[in-house]
Amino acid sequence: MKKCRSFFGMLCAVCLCAALLTACGSKPGNRTREIRIGVTVYDEYDTFITELMEVFMADVAEANARDQETTVSVLTYNAAQSQITQNEQVEKLISKGCDLICVNLVDRTDPSMIIDMAREADIPVIFFNRELVEEDLFSWDKLYYIGADASESGKIEGRIAAAYLKENPGADRNGDGSIQYVVLEGEAGHQDAIVRSDTSVDALLEEGIKIEKLESSIANWNRGQAQNRMSQLIDRYGEEIELVLTNNDDMALGAVDEYDKRETAGDKRPAIIGIDGTKVGLEGVRNGKLIGTVYNDKEGQALAMLQLAQAVISGKDPDSLSFADGLSLTEGKYIRLPYSEITPENISQYDKGE
Ligand code: GAL
């Protein structure tokens, strides 16, 4: 709750600042140039997106403190899970004079209105986190995508789980030589949902772990929904569940919440694993409720988004640039940040004073 409030507070501050700049047509201090970036997120209550935007805004503040000539102003909207609302927001961002728009699509299969409006106004668009299909991305040369490779996150998740299961043979509680598991999945149709589920299971098999799927259930990235689904799964399978694979930390923590609510003793709980490395996810690994998580590099994605936006707005050839972590644009379109493994053994590297 605290996080949502601070993100919302930050949005208001940013909107106000941008509105004042727009209203007065003035530039702060002696700065000679202002660039305006519009952002619309699919849902401001999504934990990972909230944290990514916090990092993005901190990067913008840092860029403004460093560069005495140019001011970056940002106007951010929450589409609240409606593609229609998001289309209207993009229209508004264009009419408010944004130089570039960053879009976290609500419906990744339906960017056509946004692309048409942007092309008409000649405003470049960086899509992020929710990947549009190639055909749409390649339909105009001023469209870009920043995200990560979903299959990599699933593979890493499966490998962390396999290593844990090898080190902890007692995790096979019924001793049948096979691990009974359930999966909590993100939104149906999201590139990070199906692919993560499939590749995590593939990785477990490649590591030689015998597994048996009990059931998978969709919980839309959401902690509350995941707790609810976990409750149903526990009612159905009870102590048979030995492993809970999830597509993100919030759903992994939703599963933990249900075991906490039932006051299930540690030795009767399954191994639970997430993806993202959000603040709460890291805390879950630190306190041993999660066996691990996979870092979805929000810092890298946010910085790449700002750097690409600045480059495109100032007319630099984005192909000639190197972005966060030494990455460059592939196919003139994509920046994908790598995922990495987080376990109790290496979590101190991710602490960052939290
Ligand atoms: C995924 C992330 C999820 C959720 C989703 C929203 O990359 O792992 O937690 O934020 O994006 O599109």
Side-chain angles (χ1 to χ4, degrees):
M1 215 34 221
K2 187 167 156 252
K3 199 179 310 142
C4 292
R5 265 205 308 273
S6 70
F7 176 50
F8 195 66
M10 178 185 71
L11 291 189
C12 293
V14 167
C15 294
L16 184 65
C17 162
L20 287 176
L21 289 173
T22 309
C24 311
S26 62
K27 312 275 185 288
N30 296 325
R31 293 175 190 232
T32 52
R33 188 166 162 253
E34 180 198 358
I35 63 176
R36 291 180 193 167
I37 301 176
V39 182
T40 157
V41 298
Y42 92 103
D43 179 1
E44 71 171 356
Y45 294 104
D46 178 297
T47 307
F48 175 73
I49 296 299
T50 300
E51 292 190 4
L52 190 152
M53 284 307 298
E54 282 172 359
V55 178
F56 181 72
M57 294 313 300
D59 289 343
V60 168
E62 211 180 295
N64 284 339
R66 219 179 23 236
D67 186 336
Q68 293 307 307
E69 289 184 354
T70 309
T71 304
V72 180
S73 62
V74 181
L75 181 51
T76 305
Y77 287 127
N78 169 27
Q81 305 217 14
S82 158
Q83 190 56 59
I84 296 171
T85 304
Q86 186 163 63
N87 295 345
E88 289 164 4
Q89 292 174 342
V90 168
E91 194 178 2
K92 253 187 243 161
L93 290 167
I94 292 173
S95 72
K96 282 179 185 288
C98 286
D99 301 296
L100 176 144
I101 299 173
C102 298
V103 179
N104 178 220
L105 276 170
V106 175
D107 180 350
R108 54 185 282 269
T109 65
D110 192 14
S112 49
M113 277 273 277
I114 291 176
I115 295 175
D116 288 350
M117 288 187 286
R119 197 205 304 241
E120 174 84 23
D122 196 28
I123 304 296
V125 180
I126 300 176
F127 293 96
F128 65 103
N129 167 264
R130 298 165 72 88
E131 186 170 348
L132 59 174
V133 297
E134 233 179 73
E135 198 187 328
D136 289 323
L137 187 64
F138 281 82
S139 66
W140 184 40
D141 61 344
K142 293 184 182 170
L143 306 176
Y144 306 92
Y145 177 73
I146 294 179
D149 174 1
S151 68
E152 193 193 353
S153 53
K155 274 183 213 153
I156 298 175
E157 181 178 53
R159 282 189 213 126
I160 298 174
Y164 175 88
L165 294 167
K166 285 178 190 170
E167 276 161 31
N168 297 276
D172 178 14
R173 280 198 311 263
N174 62 7
D176 68 349
S178 177
I179 298 294
Q180 282 72 38
Y181 72 97
V182 297
V183 189
L184 292 173
E185 295 193 321
E187 287 163 270
H190 190 299
Q191 84 277 349
D192 288 341
I194 300 170
V195 177
R196 284 178 180 170
S197 303
D198 289 351
T199 51
S200 60
V201 168
D202 291 347
L204 277 159
L205 292 170
E206 271 162 31
E207 292 292 324
I209 307 287
K210 272 185 75 184
I211 47 178
E212 185 194 340
K213 180 171 174 175
L214 298 173
E215 200 171 320
S216 65
S217 191
I218 292 179
N220 295 309
W221 311 119
N222 181 283
R223 187 165 176 162
Q225 284 186 39
Q227 178 173 358
N228 189 282
R229 302 291 175 275
M230 198 65 224
S231 169
Q232 293 161 354
L233 291 166
I234 298 172
D235 287 346
R236 214 163 295 150
Y237 302 104
E239 284 182 33
E240 262 188 273
I241 305 169
E242 293 169 331
L243 171 67
V244 182
L245 293 171
T246 71
N247 293 164
N248 81 342
D249 287 348
D250 266 16
M251 294 191 292
L253 292 164
V256 168
D257 291 342
E258 186 55 25
Y259 282 101
D260 284 349
K261 184 174 156 208
R262 292 178 185 232
E263 298 181 2
T264 309
D267 61 344
K268 301 229 179 310
R269 293 186 185 207
I272 303 175
I273 182 161
I275 293 179
D276 274 344
T278 54
K279 286 175 200 151
V280 280
L282 293 177
E283 187 50 34
V285 178
R286 243 177 252 125
N287 65 25
K289 302 249 168 152
L290 303 183
I291 60 164
T293 182
V294 181
Y295 201 60
N296 191 356
D297 187 356
K298 56 181 181 293
E299 275 85 13
Q301 291 167 43
L303 187 57
M305 192 153 93
L306 178 59
Q307 291 176 329
L308 180 59
Q310 288 171 316
V312 171
I313 294 171
S314 22
K316 289 190 189 131
D317 173 12
D319 271 324
S320 66
L321 298 166
S322 70
F323 297 97
D325 294 335
L327 293 170
S328 50
L329 217 57
T330 55
E331 300 175 65
K333 292 283 179 192
Y334 295 98
I335 302 179
R336 291 188 203 276
L337 277 289
Y339 285 98
S340 51
E341 167 177 320
I342 304 179
T343 60
E345 286 72 46
N346 74 351
I347 189 145
S348 57
Q349 295 168 26
Y350 293 84
D351 278 347
K352 295 185 188 135
E354 273 149 33

